[in-house]
Amino acid sequence: QAQINANAQWFHIEPLQLGLSACFQSLMMAVGMWAFKRYLLQASWRLTYAGGILGTQLFSLLYLLTIFVPLFKNGWWYVFTQVDMSLAYALTSAIGIVVIPEITVPGFEGVIYGAVTTYTNQAMNVANAINNLLLAVWPSNTNNDELKACALGRARLSASEAGASCEEVQWNMAWLTLLATATACLSLLFLPLMPSQKEEVRRLAELPRSRAAGW
């Protein structure tokens, strides 16, 4: 949300660029899914997921260039970063797709799919709550007047008019970007809980069921 607000105040994104971004993101998702099927179907799920997370966050860090370098305050750079993030994100999405059939118990397909979907939705709610908490740490990241201190062209306000200097706004946005990236990478701590491949899922299925987990 902070990046959307900043982009709106710092530079103008043409409707054509937004449309191309959406189209290319869908295309890159398709390419990523094909690449997973072609080259990574038998690879470790943990390594693939880790690669997707790290790749997504690496491209997210490219926003630091938008923050500090005026050359990168333009719509085409925005399109490039969003498209690349979609390609990396495809790897994590593919893992979620291939895991479900392996953990499904015959006759309970709907129940298991519903449970996985519910967990995913709850995780998104937690992520949104964390996002809102992070936004409150540096209020300038959501204050349109203060963001205009770093705007391009005639829309730029002076420090006295905006209520903050451009340097202050830049560093507040940079710290938020770094903190959000670090928070996203915390999911890697849970990788040991993910089966590495189909064979491990089958071995786990042969173990006594857990009462605590409801199985």
Side-chain angles (χ1 to χ4, degrees):
Q1 183 62 47
Q3 290 185 7
I4 295 175
N5 291 341
N7 291 343
Q9 302 304 322
W10 289 350
F11 58 92
H12 179 64
I13 301 178
E14 299 289 343
L16 174 62
Q17 294 168 335
L18 289 173
L20 288 176
S21 176
C23 292
F24 287 147
Q25 286 182 58
S26 298
L27 178 61
M28 287 298 100
M29 280 289 291
V31 170
M33 290 294 183
W34 172 85
F36 178 86
K37 179 181 177 181
R38 180 69 176 81
Y39 301 105
L40 300 173
L41 197 58
Q42 303 303 322
S44 169
W45 292 343
R46 294 172 184 167
L47 292 178
T48 303
Y49 184 85
I53 290 293
L54 293 175
T56 302
Q57 298 313 311
L58 177 63
F59 287 118
S60 177
L61 288 176
L62 290 178
Y63 194 72
L64 294 173
L65 292 175
T66 303
I67 296 174
F68 291 105
V69 184
L71 177 64
F72 294 98
K73 286 185 171 69
N74 67 78
W76 294 115
W77 175 249
Y78 170 82
V79 171
F80 170 77
T81 55
Q82 294 301 305
V83 168
D84 288 340
M85 287 176 64
S86 294
L87 181 60
Y89 177 72
L91 299 180
T92 58
S93 299
I95 294 297
I97 293 173
V98 299
V99 166
I100 291 179
E102 299 301 326
I103 64 175
T104 298
V105 179
F108 293 89
E109 291 86 352
V111 174
I112 293 177
Y113 180 79
V116 173
T117 302
T118 300
Y119 293 149
T120 302
N121 292 339
Q122 292 303 315
M124 293 177 63
N125 292 334
V126 173
N128 288 334
I130 294 175
N131 176 69
N132 292 333
L133 290 174
L134 294 181
L135 286 175
V137 177
W138 296 283
S140 68
N141 291 326
T142 54
N143 187 311
N144 290 340
D145 288 336
E146 293 188 11
L147 288 172
K148 286 181 179 178
C150 294
L152 294 177
R154 290 178 299 176
R156 183 168 185 163
L157 300 180
S158 65
S160 59
E161 292 173 322
S165 66
C166 179
E167 183 178 0
E168 179 183 354
V169 170
Q170 286 176 324
W171 279 108
N172 287 347
M173 184 65 71
W175 285 120
L176 177 62
T177 301
L178 293 172
L179 184 57
T181 299
T183 302
C185 289
L186 289 178
S187 62
L188 298 176
L189 298 177
F190 298 92
L191 274 183
L193 299 178
M194 176 186 292
S196 60
Q197 252 295 341
K198 301 176 183 179
E199 294 76 13
E200 185 172 348
V201 175
R202 298 189 184 105
R203 288 197 299 270
L204 291 174
E206 296 174 355
L207 297 176
R209 297 186 177 184
S210 170
R211 292 183 179 182
W215 295 96

